[in-house]
Coordinates of all heavy atoms in Angstrom, one line a residue:
M27 N 27.7 -18.1 17.6 CA 27.4 -19.5 18.0 C 28.0 -20.3 16.8 O 27.7 -20.1 15.7 CB 25.9 -19.7 18.1 CG 25.6 -20.9 18.8 SD 23.8 -21.0 19.3 CE 22.9 -19.9 18.4
S28 N 28.8 -21.3 17.2 CA 29.4 -22.1 16.1 C 28.6 -23.4 15.9 O 27.7 -23.7 16.7 CB 30.9 -22.5 16.6 OG 30.8 -23.2 17.7
A29 N 28.9 -24.1 14.9 CA 28.2 -25.3 14.5 C 28.3 -26.3 15.7 O 29.4 -26.5 16.3 CB 28.8 -25.9 13.3
G30 N 27.2 -26.9 16.0 CA 27.2 -27.9 17.1 C 26.9 -27.3 18.4 O 26.7 -28.0 19.4
Q31 N 27.0 -25.9 18.6 CA 26.7 -25.3 19.8 C 25.2 -25.0 19.8 O 24.6 -24.6 18.8 CB 27.4 -23.9 19.9 CG 28.6 -24.0 20.8 CD 29.2 -22.6 20.9 OE1 29.1 -21.7 20.0 NE2 29.8 -22.3 22.1
S32 N 24.6 -25.1 21.0 CA 23.2 -24.7 21.2 C 23.1 -23.6 22.2 O 24.0 -23.5 23.1 CB 22.3 -25.9 21.6 OG 22.7 -26.4 22.9
S33 N 22.1 -22.8 22.0 CA 22.0 -21.7 23.0 C 20.5 -21.6 23.4 O 19.6 -21.9 22.6 CB 22.3 -20.4 22.3 OG 22.2 -19.3 23.1
K34 N 20.3 -21.3 24.7 CA 19.0 -21.2 25.2 C 18.3 -20.0 24.6 O 18.9 -18.9 24.4 CB 19.1 -20.9 26.7 CG 17.8 -20.7 27.4 CD 18.0 -20.3 28.9 CE 16.8 -19.8 29.5 NZ 16.4 -18.4 29.2
V35 N 17.1 -20.2 24.2 CA 16.3 -19.0 23.7 C 15.8 -18.2 24.9 O 15.1 -18.7 25.8 CB 15.1 -19.6 22.8 CG1 14.2 -18.4 22.4 CG2 15.6 -20.4 21.7
S36 N 16.1 -16.9 24.9 CA 15.7 -16.0 25.9 C 14.3 -15.5 25.6 O 14.0 -15.4 24.4 CB 16.7 -14.9 26.1 OG 17.9 -15.3 26.4
T37 N 13.6 -15.1 26.6 CA 12.3 -14.4 26.3 C 12.6 -12.9 26.3 O 13.6 -12.4 26.9 CB 11.2 -14.7 27.4 OG1 11.7 -14.1 28.6 CG2 11.0 -16.2 27.6
L38 N 11.8 -12.2 25.6 CA 11.9 -10.7 25.5 C 11.8 -10.1 26.9 O 12.6 -9.2 27.3 CB 10.8 -10.2 24.6 CG 10.9 -8.7 24.3 CD1 12.2 -8.3 23.7 CD2 9.7 -8.3 23.4
W39 N 10.9 -10.6 27.7 CA 10.8 -10.1 29.1 C 12.1 -10.3 29.9 O 12.5 -9.4 30.6 CB 9.6 -10.9 29.8 CG 9.3 -10.2 31.1 CD1 8.3 -9.3 31.3 CD2 9.8 -10.4 32.4 NE1 8.2 -8.9 32.6 CE2 9.2 -9.6 33.3 CE3 10.9 -11.3 32.9 CZ2 9.5 -9.6 34.7 CZ3 11.2 -11.2 34.2 CH2 10.5 -10.4 35.1
E40 N 12.8 -11.5 29.8 CA 14.0 -11.7 30.5 C 15.1 -10.7 30.0 O 15.9 -10.3 30.9 CB 14.5 -13.1 30.2 CG 13.7 -14.2 30.8 CD 14.1 -15.6 30.3 OE1 14.7 -15.8 29.2 OE2 13.8 -16.6 31.0
I41 N 15.1 -10.4 28.7 CA 16.1 -9.5 28.2 C 15.9 -8.1 28.8 O 16.8 -7.4 29.3 CB 16.1 -9.4 26.7 CG1 16.6 -10.8 26.2 CG2 17.0 -8.3 26.2 CD1 16.4 -11.0 24.7
V42 N 14.6 -7.6 28.7 CA 14.3 -6.2 29.2 C 14.4 -6.1 30.7 O 14.9 -5.1 31.2 CB 12.9 -5.9 28.7 CG1 12.4 -4.5 29.3 CG2 12.8 -5.8 27.2
H43 N 14.1 -7.1 31.4 CA 14.1 -7.1 32.9 C 15.3 -7.8 33.5 O 15.3 -8.3 34.6 CB 12.8 -7.7 33.4 CG 11.6 -6.8 33.1 ND1 10.9 -7.1 32.0 CD2 11.1 -5.7 33.6 CE1 9.9 -6.2 31.9 NE2 10.0 -5.3 32.9
N44 N 16.4 -7.8 32.8 CA 17.6 -8.5 33.3 C 18.1 -7.7 34.5 O 18.4 -6.5 34.4 CB 18.7 -8.4 32.2 CG 20.0 -9.2 32.5 OD1 20.4 -9.3 33.7 ND2 20.6 -9.7 31.5
P45 N 18.3 -8.4 35.6 CA 18.7 -7.8 36.9 C 20.1 -7.2 36.8 O 20.4 -6.3 37.6 CB 18.6 -8.9 37.9 CG 18.6 -10.1 37.2 CD 18.0 -9.9 35.8
N46 N 20.9 -7.6 35.9 CA 22.3 -7.1 35.7 C 22.3 -5.7 35.1 O 23.3 -5.0 35.0 CB 23.1 -8.0 34.9 CG 23.3 -9.4 35.5 OD1 23.5 -9.4 36.7 ND2 23.3 -10.4 34.8
R47 N 21.1 -5.2 34.6 CA 21.0 -3.9 34.1 C 20.9 -2.8 35.2 O 20.9 -1.6 34.9 CB 19.8 -3.7 33.1 CG 20.0 -4.4 31.8 CD 18.9 -4.2 30.9 NE 18.8 -2.8 30.5 CZ 17.7 -2.3 30.0 NH1 16.7 -3.0 29.7 NH2 17.6 -1.0 29.7
V48 N 20.7 -3.2 36.4 CA 20.6 -2.3 37.5 C 21.8 -2.3 38.4 O 22.1 -3.4 39.0 CB 19.3 -2.5 38.3 CG1 19.1 -1.5 39.4 CG2 18.1 -2.5 37.4
I49 N 22.5 -1.2 38.6 CA 23.6 -1.1 39.5 C 23.4 0.0 40.4 O 23.2 1.2 40.0 CB 25.0 -1.0 38.7 CG1 25.2 -2.2 37.8 CG2 26.1 -0.7 39.6 CD1 26.4 -2.1 37.0
D50 N 23.5 -0.2 41.7 CA 23.3 0.8 42.7 C 22.0 1.6 42.5 O 21.9 2.8 42.7 CB 24.5 1.8 42.8 CG 25.8 1.2 43.2 OD1 25.7 0.2 43.9 OD2 26.8 1.7 42.7
G51 N 20.9 0.9 42.1 CA 19.6 1.4 42.0 C 19.4 2.2 40.7 O 18.4 2.7 40.4
K52 N 20.4 2.3 39.8 CA 20.3 3.0 38.6 C 20.3 2.0 37.4 O 21.1 1.1 37.3 CB 21.5 3.9 38.4 CG 21.5 5.0 39.4 CD 22.7 6.0 39.2 CE 22.7 7.1 40.2 NZ 23.8 7.9 40.1
E53 N 19.3 2.2 36.5 CA 19.2 1.3 35.3 C 20.2 1.7 34.2 O 20.2 2.9 33.8 CB 17.8 1.3 34.8 CG 17.6 0.2 33.7 CD 16.1 0.1 33.3 OE1 15.2 0.6 34.0 OE2 15.9 -0.6 32.3
L54 N 21.0 0.8 33.8 CA 21.9 1.0 32.6 C 21.1 1.0 31.3 O 20.1 0.2 31.2 CB 22.9 -0.1 32.6 CG 23.8 -0.2 33.8 CD1 24.7 -1.4 33.7 CD2 24.7 1.0 34.0
P55 N 21.5 1.8 30.3 CA 20.7 1.8 29.1 C 20.9 0.5 28.3 O 20.0 0.1 27.5 CB 21.3 2.9 28.3 CG 22.7 3.2 28.9 CD 22.6 2.7 30.3
F56 N 22.0 -0.3 28.5 CA 22.2 -1.5 27.9 C 23.3 -2.3 28.6 O 24.0 -1.7 29.4 CB 22.6 -1.4 26.4 CG 24.0 -0.8 26.3 CD1 25.1 -1.5 26.2 CD2 24.2 0.6 26.2 CE1 26.4 -1.0 26.1 CE2 25.4 1.2 26.1 CZ 26.5 0.4 26.0
I57 N 23.4 -3.6 28.4 CA 24.5 -4.4 28.8 C 25.0 -5.2 27.6 O 24.2 -5.5 26.7 CB 24.2 -5.3 30.0 CG1 23.0 -6.2 29.7 CG2 24.0 -4.5 31.3 CD1 22.7 -7.2 30.8
N58 N 26.3 -5.5 27.6 CA 26.9 -6.2 26.4 C 26.7 -7.7 26.6 O 27.5 -8.4 27.1 CB 28.4 -5.8 26.3 CG 29.0 -6.3 25.0 OD1 28.3 -6.6 24.1 ND2 30.3 -6.3 25.0
V59 N 25.5 -8.2 26.1 CA 25.2 -9.6 26.2 C 24.5 -10.0 24.8 O 23.8 -9.3 24.3 CB 24.2 -9.8 27.3 CG1 23.7 -11.2 27.4 CG2 24.7 -9.3 28.6
K60 N 24.8 -11.2 24.4 CA 24.2 -11.8 23.2 C 23.0 -12.6 23.7 O 23.2 -13.4 24.6 CB 25.2 -12.6 22.4 CG 25.9 -12.0 21.3 CD 26.6 -13.0 20.5 CE 27.3 -12.4 19.4 NZ 28.1 -13.4 18.6
H61 N 21.9 -12.6 23.0 CA 20.8 -13.4 23.3 C 20.2 -14.0 22.0 O 20.3 -13.3 20.9 CB 19.6 -12.6 23.9 CG 19.9 -12.2 25.3 ND1 19.6 -13.0 26.4 CD2 20.3 -11.0 25.8 CE1 19.9 -12.3 27.5 NE2 20.4 -11.1 27.2
L62 N 19.6 -15.1 22.1 CA 18.8 -15.7 21.0 C 17.4 -15.5 21.4 O 17.0 -15.9 22.5 CB 19.2 -17.2 20.8 CG 18.3 -17.9 19.8 CD1 18.6 -17.3 18.4 CD2 18.7 -19.4 19.8
V63 N 16.6 -14.8 20.6 CA 15.3 -14.4 21.0 C 14.3 -14.6 19.8 O 14.8 -14.3 18.7 CB 15.2 -13.0 21.6 CG1 15.6 -12.0 20.6 CG2 13.8 -12.7 22.2
R64 N 13.1 -15.0 20.0 CA 12.1 -15.0 18.9 C 11.1 -13.9 19.2 O 10.4 -13.9 20.2 CB 11.5 -16.4 18.9 CG 12.5 -17.5 18.5 CD 11.7 -18.7 18.0 NE 12.7 -19.6 17.5 CZ 13.2 -20.7 18.0 NH1 12.7 -21.1 19.2 NH2 14.1 -21.5 17.4
I65 N 11.0 -13.0 18.2 CA 10.0 -11.9 18.4 C 9.3 -11.8 17.1 O 9.7 -12.2 16.0 CB 10.7 -10.6 18.7 CG1 11.8 -10.2 17.7 CG2 11.4 -10.6 20.1 CD1 12.4 -8.8 17.9
A66 N 8.2 -11.1 17.2 CA 7.4 -10.7 16.0 C 7.1 -9.2 16.0 O 6.8 -8.7 17.1 CB 6.1 -11.5 15.9
V67 N 7.2 -8.5 14.9 CA 6.8 -7.1 14.8 C 5.3 -7.1 14.7 O 4.7 -7.7 13.8 CB 7.5 -6.4 13.6 CG1 7.0 -5.0 13.5 CG2 9.0 -6.5 13.8
V68 N 4.7 -6.4 15.7 CA 3.2 -6.3 15.7 C 2.7 -4.9 15.3 O 1.5 -4.8 15.0 CB 2.6 -6.8 17.0 CG1 2.9 -8.2 17.3 CG2 3.1 -5.9 18.2
D69 N 3.6 -3.9 15.4 CA 3.2 -2.6 15.0 C 4.4 -1.7 14.7 O 5.5 -2.2 15.1 CB 2.3 -1.9 16.1 CG 1.4 -0.8 15.6 OD1 1.4 -0.5 14.4 OD2 0.7 -0.2 16.4
Y70 N 4.2 -0.6 14.2 CA 5.3 0.4 14.0 C 4.8 1.8 14.1 O 3.6 2.0 14.1 CB 6.0 0.1 12.6 CG 5.0 0.3 11.5 CD1 4.8 1.5 10.9 CD2 4.3 -0.9 11.0 CE1 3.9 1.6 9.8 CE2 3.4 -0.7 9.9 CZ 3.2 0.5 9.4 OH 2.3 0.6 8.3
W71 N 5.7 2.7 14.3 CA 5.4 4.1 14.5 C 6.5 5.0 13.9 O 7.7 4.6 14.1 CB 5.1 4.5 15.9 CG 4.7 5.9 16.1 CD1 3.4 6.3 16.0 CD2 5.5 7.0 16.3 NE1 3.3 7.7 16.1 CE2 4.6 8.2 16.3 CE3 6.8 7.3 16.4 CZ2 5.1 9.4 16.5 CZ3 7.3 8.5 16.6 CH2 6.4 9.6 16.6
P72 N 6.3 6.0 13.2 CA 5.0 6.5 12.8 C 4.2 5.6 11.8 O 4.9 4.8 11.1 CB 5.3 7.9 12.2 CG 6.7 7.8 11.7 CD 7.4 6.8 12.6
H73 N 3.0 5.7 11.8 CA 2.2 4.8 10.9 C 2.3 5.2 9.5 O 2.0 4.4 8.6 CB 0.7 4.8 11.4 CG 0.5 4.0 12.6 ND1 0.2 4.6 13.8 CD2 0.8 2.7 12.9 CE1 0.2 3.7 14.8 NE2 0.5 2.5 14.2
N74 N 2.7 6.4 9.2 CA 2.9 6.9 7.8 C 4.3 6.6 7.4 O 5.3 7.2 8.0 CB 2.6 8.4 7.6 CG 2.7 8.8 6.2 OD1 3.2 8.1 5.3 ND2 2.3 10.0 6.0
L75 N 4.6 5.6 6.5 CA 5.9 5.2 6.2 C 6.8 6.4 5.7 O 8.0 6.4 5.8 CB 5.9 4.1 5.1 CG 5.3 2.8 5.6 CD1 5.3 1.8 4.4 CD2 6.1 2.2 6.8
K76 N 6.2 7.4 5.1 CA 6.9 8.6 4.6 C 7.6 9.3 5.7 O 8.5 10.1 5.5 CB 6.0 9.5 3.8 CG 5.5 8.9 2.5 CD 4.6 9.9 1.8 CE 4.1 9.3 0.5 NZ 3.2 10.2 -0.2
E77 N 7.1 9.1 7.0 CA 7.7 9.8 8.1 C 8.8 9.0 8.8 O 9.2 9.4 9.9 CB 6.6 10.2 9.1 CG 5.6 11.1 8.5 CD 4.4 11.4 9.4 OE1 4.3 10.9 10.5 OE2 3.4 12.1 9.0
F78 N 9.2 7.9 8.2 CA 10.3 7.1 8.8 C 11.6 7.8 8.7 O 12.5 7.6 9.5 CB 10.4 5.8 8.1 CG 9.6 4.6 8.7 CD1 8.3 4.9 9.2 CD2 10.1 3.4 8.7 CE1 7.6 3.8 9.7 CE2 9.3 2.3 9.2 CZ 8.1 2.6 9.7
S79 N 11.7 8.8 7.8 CA 13.0 9.6 7.8 C 12.6 11.0 8.0 O 11.5 11.5 7.9 CB 13.6 9.4 6.4 OG 12.8 10.0 5.4
F80 N 13.6 11.8 8.5 CA 13.4 13.2 8.9 C 14.7 13.9 8.5 O 15.8 13.4 8.4 CB 13.1 13.3 10.4 CG 14.2 13.0 11.3 CD1 15.0 14.0 11.9 CD2 14.6 11.7 11.6 CE1 16.0 13.7 12.7 CE2 15.6 11.4 12.4 CZ 16.4 12.4 13.0
L81 N 14.6 15.2 8.4 CA 15.7 16.1 8.1 C 16.3 16.6 9.4 O 15.7 17.3 10.2 CB 15.2 17.3 7.3 CG 16.3 18.2 6.7 CD1 17.2 17.4 5.8 CD2 15.7 19.3 5.9
S82 N 17.5 16.1 9.7 CA 18.2 16.4 11.0 C 18.7 17.9 11.0 O 18.6 18.6 10.1 CB 19.4 15.5 11.2 OG 20.4 15.8 10.3
K83 N 19.2 18.3 12.2 CA 19.7 19.7 12.4 C 20.8 20.0 11.4 O 20.9 21.2 11.0 CB 20.2 19.8 13.8 CG 19.1 19.8 14.9 CD 19.7 19.9 16.3 CE 18.6 19.8 17.3 NZ 19.1 19.8 18.6
N84 N 21.6 19.0 11.0 CA 22.7 19.3 10.1 C 22.2 19.2 8.6 O 23.0 19.0 7.7 CB 23.9 18.4 10.4 CG 23.6 16.9 10.2 OD1 22.5 16.5 9.9 ND2 24.6 16.1 10.5
R85 N 20.9 19.2 8.4 CA 20.3 19.2 7.1 C 20.6 17.9 6.3 O 20.8 17.9 5.1 CB 20.7 20.4 6.2 CG 20.6 21.8 6.9 CD 19.3 22.4 7.0 NE 18.7 22.5 5.6 CZ 17.4 22.5 5.4 NH1 16.6 22.4 6.4 NH2 16.9 22.6 4.2
K86 N 20.6 16.8 7.0 CA 20.9 15.5 6.4 C 19.7 14.6 6.7 O 19.2 14.6 7.9 CB 22.2 14.9 7.0 CG 22.5 13.5 6.5 CD 23.8 13.0 7.2 CE 24.0 11.6 6.8 NZ 25.1 11.0 7.6
W87 N 19.2 13.8 5.8 CA 18.1 12.9 6.0 C 18.6 11.7 6.8 O 19.6 11.2 6.6 CB 17.5 12.5 4.7 CG 16.7 13.5 4.0 CD1 17.1 14.4 3.1 CD2 15.3 13.9 4.4 NE1 16.0 15.2 2.8 CE2 15.0 15.0 3.6 CE3 14.4 13.4 5.3 CZ2 13.7 15.6 3.7 CZ3 13.2 14.0 5.4 CH2 12.8 15.1 4.6
E88 N 17.8 11.4 7.8 CA 18.1 10.3 8.7 C 16.9 9.4 9.0 O 15.8 10.0 9.0 CB 18.7 10.8 10.1 CG 20.0 11.5 10.0 CD 20.5 12.0 11.3 OE1 20.1 11.4 12.3 OE2 21.3 12.9 11.3
W89 N 17.1 8.1 9.2 CA 16.0 7.2 9.6 C 15.8 7.4 11.1 O 16.7 7.5 11.9 CB 16.4 5.8 9.3 CG 16.5 5.4 7.9 CD1 17.6 4.9 7.3 CD2 15.5 5.3 7.0 NE1 17.3 4.6 6.0 CE2 16.0 4.8 5.8 CE3 14.1 5.6 7.0 CZ2 15.3 4.6 4.6 CZ3 13.4 5.4 5.8 CH2 13.9 4.9 4.7
R90 N 14.5 7.3 11.5 CA 14.2 7.0 12.9 C 12.7 6.6 13.0 O 11.8 7.3 12.6 CB 14.4 8.3 13.8 CG 14.1 7.9 15.3 CD 14.5 8.9 16.3 NE 13.7 10.1 16.1 CZ 14.2 11.3 16.3 NH1 15.4 11.5 16.7 NH2 13.4 12.4 16.2
F91 N 12.5 5.4 13.4 CA 11.2 4.9 13.6 C 11.2 3.9 14.7 O 12.3 3.5 15.3 CB 10.6 4.2 12.3 CG 11.5 3.2 11.7 CD1 11.3 1.8 12.0 CD2 12.6 3.5 10.8 CE1 12.2 0.8 11.5 CE2 13.4 2.5 10.3 CZ 13.2 1.2 10.6
F92 N 10.0 3.4 15.1 CA 9.9 2.5 16.3 C 9.2 1.2 15.8 O 8.2 1.3 15.0 CB 9.2 3.1 17.4 CG 9.9 4.3 18.0 CD1 9.8 5.6 17.5 CD2 10.7 4.1 19.1 CE1 10.5 6.6 18.0 CE2 11.4 5.2 19.6 CZ 11.3 6.4 19.1
L93 N 9.6 0.1 16.3 CA 8.9 -1.2 16.1 C 8.3 -1.6 17.4 O 9.0 -1.5 18.5 CB 9.9 -2.2 15.6 CG 10.6 -1.9 14.2 CD1 11.5 -3.0 13.9 CD2 9.6 -1.7 13.1
V94 N 7.1 -2.1 17.4 CA 6.5 -2.7 18.6 C 6.7 -4.2 18.4 O 6.2 -4.7 17.4 CB 5.1 -2.3 18.8 CG1 4.5 -3.0 20.1 CG2 4.9 -0.8 18.9
V95 N 7.4 -4.9 19.2 CA 7.7 -6.3 19.1 C 7.0 -7.1 20.2 O 6.9 -6.6 21.3 CB 9.2 -6.6 19.0 CG1 9.8 -6.0 17.8 CG2 9.9 -6.2 20.2
K96 N 6.6 -8.3 19.9 CA 6.0 -9.2 20.9 C 7.0 -10.4 21.0 O 7.4 -11.0 20.0 CB 4.7 -9.7 20.4 CG 4.0 -10.7 21.3 CD 2.7 -11.1 20.7 CE 2.1 -12.2 21.6 NZ 0.8 -12.7 21.0
G97 N 7.3 -10.7 22.2 CA 8.1 -11.9 22.5 C 7.3 -13.2 22.2 O 6.2 -13.3 22.7
M98 N 7.8 -14.0 21.3 CA 7.1 -15.3 20.9 C 7.2 -16.3 22.0 O 6.4 -17.2 22.0 CB 7.6 -15.8 19.6 CG 7.5 -14.8 18.5 SD 5.8 -14.2 18.2 CE 5.0 -15.7 17.7
G99 N 8.2 -16.3 22.9 CA 8.3 -17.3 23.9 C 7.7 -16.8 25.3 O 7.7 -17.5 26.3
D100 N 7.2 -15.6 25.3 CA 6.7 -15.1 26.6 C 5.2 -15.5 26.8 O 4.4 -15.5 25.9 CB 6.7 -13.5 26.5 CG 8.1 -13.0 26.3 OD1 9.0 -13.6 26.8 OD2 8.2 -11.9 25.8
R101 N 5.0 -16.0 28.0 CA 3.7 -16.5 28.4 C 2.6 -15.4 28.3 O 1.5 -15.7 28.0 CB 3.7 -17.1 29.8 CG 4.6 -18.3 30.0 CD 4.4 -18.9 31.4 NE 4.7 -17.8 32.4 CZ 5.8 -17.8 33.1 NH1 6.8 -18.7 33.0 NH2 6.0 -16.8 34.0
D102 N 3.0 -14.2 28.7 CA 2.0 -13.1 28.7 C 2.0 -12.3 27.5 O 1.3 -11.3 27.4 CB 2.3 -12.2 29.9 CG 3.7 -11.5 29.8 OD1 4.4 -11.9 29.0 OD2 3.9 -10.7 30.7
G103 N 2.7 -12.6 26.4 CA 2.7 -11.8 25.2 C 3.3 -10.4 25.4 O 2.8 -9.5 24.9
F104 N 4.4 -10.4 26.2 CA 5.1 -9.1 26.5 C 5.4 -8.3 25.3 O 5.9 -8.8 24.3 CB 6.3 -9.5 27.3 CG 7.1 -8.3 27.7 CD1 6.7 -7.4 28.7 CD2 8.3 -8.0 27.1 CE1 7.4 -6.3 29.1 CE2 9.1 -6.9 27.5 CZ 8.6 -6.1 28.5
L105 N 5.0 -7.0 25.3 CA 5.3 -6.1 24.2 C 6.4 -5.1 24.6 O 6.5 -4.7 25.7 CB 4.0 -5.3 23.8 CG 2.9 -6.1 23.3 CD1 1.7 -5.2 23.1 CD2 3.2 -6.8 22.0
H106 N 7.2 -4.7 23.6 CA 8.3 -3.8 23.9 C 8.5 -2.9 22.6 O 8.4 -3.4 21.5 CB 9.6 -4.6 24.2 CG 10.7 -3.7 24.7 ND1 10.7 -3.0 25.9 CD2 11.9 -3.4 24.1 CE1 11.8 -2.4 26.0 NE2 12.5 -2.6 25.0
N107 N 8.8 -1.6 22.9 CA 9.1 -0.7 21.8 C 10.6 -0.7 21.5 O 11.4 -0.6 22.5 CB 8.7 0.7 22.1 CG 7.2 0.8 22.3 OD1 6.5 0.1 21.6 ND2 6.8 1.6 23.2
I108 N 11.0 -0.8 20.3 CA 12.4 -0.7 19.9 C 12.6 0.5 18.9 O 11.9 0.5 17.9 CB 12.9 -2.0 19.2 CG1 12.7 -3.2 20.2 CG2 14.3 -1.9 18.7 CD1 13.0 -4.5 19.5
E109 N 13.5 1.4 19.3 CA 13.9 2.5 18.4 C 14.9 2.0 17.3 O 15.9 1.3 17.7 CB 14.5 3.6 19.1 CG 14.8 4.8 18.2 CD 15.5 6.0 18.9 OE1 16.0 5.8 20.0 OE2 15.5 7.0 18.3
V110 N 14.6 2.3 16.1 CA 15.5 1.9 15.0 C 15.9 3.2 14.3 O 15.0 3.9 13.8 CB 14.8 0.9 14.0 CG1 15.8 0.5 12.9 CG2 14.2 -0.3 14.7
A111 N 17.2 3.5 14.3 CA 17.7 4.8 13.8 C 19.1 4.6 13.2 O 19.8 3.7 13.4 CB 17.7 5.8 14.9
G112 N 19.4 5.7 12.4 CA 20.8 5.8 11.9 C 21.3 4.5 11.1 O 20.5 4.0 10.3
S113 N 22.5 4.1 11.4 CA 23.1 3.0 10.6 C 22.4 1.7 10.8 O 22.3 0.9 9.9 CB 24.6 2.9 11.0 OG 24.8 2.6 12.3
Q114 N 21.8 1.5 12.0 CA 21.1 0.3 12.3 C 19.8 0.2 11.3 O 19.5 -0.9 10.8 CB 20.6 0.1 13.7 CG 21.7 0.0 14.7 CD 22.1 1.3 15.4 OE1 21.6 2.4 15.0 NE2 23.0 1.2 16.3
A115 N 19.2 1.3 11.1 CA 18.0 1.4 10.2 C 18.5 1.1 8.8 O 17.8 0.4 8.1 CB 17.3 2.7 10.4
E116 N 19.6 1.7 8.4 CA 20.1 1.5 7.0 C 20.4 0.0 6.8 O 20.2 -0.5 5.7 CB 21.3 2.4 6.8 CG 21.0 3.8 6.6 CD 22.2 4.7 6.3 OE1 23.2 4.2 5.8 OE2 22.2 5.9 6.7
T117 N 21.0 -0.6 7.8 CA 21.3 -2.1 7.7 C 20.0 -2.9 7.6 O 19.9 -3.8 6.8 CB 22.1 -2.5 8.9 OG1 23.3 -1.8 9.0 CG2 22.4 -4.0 8.8
L118 N 19.0 -2.6 8.4 CA 17.8 -3.3 8.4 C 17.0 -3.1 7.1 O 16.6 -4.1 6.5 CB 16.9 -2.9 9.6 CG 15.5 -3.5 9.7 CD1 15.6 -5.0 10.0 CD2 14.7 -2.8 10.8
L119 N 16.9 -1.9 6.7 CA 16.1 -1.6 5.5 C 16.9 -1.7 4.2 O 16.3 -1.7 3.1 CB 15.6 -0.1 5.6 CG 14.7 0.2 6.7 CD1 14.4 1.6 6.8 CD2 13.4 -0.7 6.6
K120 N 18.3 -1.8 4.3 CA 19.1 -1.9 3.1 C 18.9 -0.7 2.1 O 18.9 -0.9 0.9 CB 18.9 -3.2 2.4 CG 19.4 -4.4 3.2 CD 19.2 -5.7 2.4 CE 19.7 -6.9 3.1 NZ 19.4 -7.2 4.5
M121 N 18.8 0.5 2.7 CA 18.7 1.7 1.9 C 19.0 2.9 2.7 O 18.9 2.9 3.9 CB 17.3 1.8 1.2 CG 16.1 2.0 2.2 SD 14.5 2.3 1.5 CE 14.2 0.7 0.7
K122 N 19.4 4.0 2.0 CA 19.7 5.3 2.6 C 18.4 6.1 2.8 O 17.5 5.9 1.9 CB 20.7 6.0 1.8 CG 22.0 5.4 1.6 CD 22.9 5.8 2.7 CE 24.3 5.2 2.4 NZ 25.1 5.1 3.5
P123 N 18.2 6.9 3.8 CA 17.0 7.7 3.9 C 17.0 8.8 2.9 O 18.1 9.3 2.4 CB 17.1 8.3 5.3 CG 18.6 8.3 5.6 CD 19.2 7.1 4.9
Q124 N 15.8 9.2 2.5 CA 15.7 10.3 1.6 C 14.3 11.0 1.8 O 13.5 10.4 2.5 CB 15.8 9.9 0.1 CG 14.9 8.8 -0.3 CD 15.2 8.3 -1.7 OE1 16.2 8.6 -2.3 NE2 14.3 7.4 -2.2
E125 N 14.1 12.1 1.2 CA 12.8 12.8 1.3 C 11.7 12.0 0.7 O 11.9 11.4 -0.3 CB 13.0 14.2 0.6 CG 11.7 15.0 0.8 CD 11.9 16.4 0.2 OE1 12.9 16.7 -0.4 OE2 10.9 17.2 0.3

């Protein structure tokens, strides 16, 4: 979004239930769309932060955890689980996984 442009704030429910994610009765894992959304993290899993990283099959430490987010613009307080793993987790946490 460039200066002077405004964008509609999407609700979390609209993003998750986008009708364009279903083709011929099959739900796509994602669609390439940008959204502006307001969410709050309300919980995470695993609850023990030491378990956010794990030793993968190739004997390398990797991040994998889940965030439970609540849409701030949703009338019903819609909740959704988001998996955070690999390079996305490294970007979010600004650190490499370790034991």
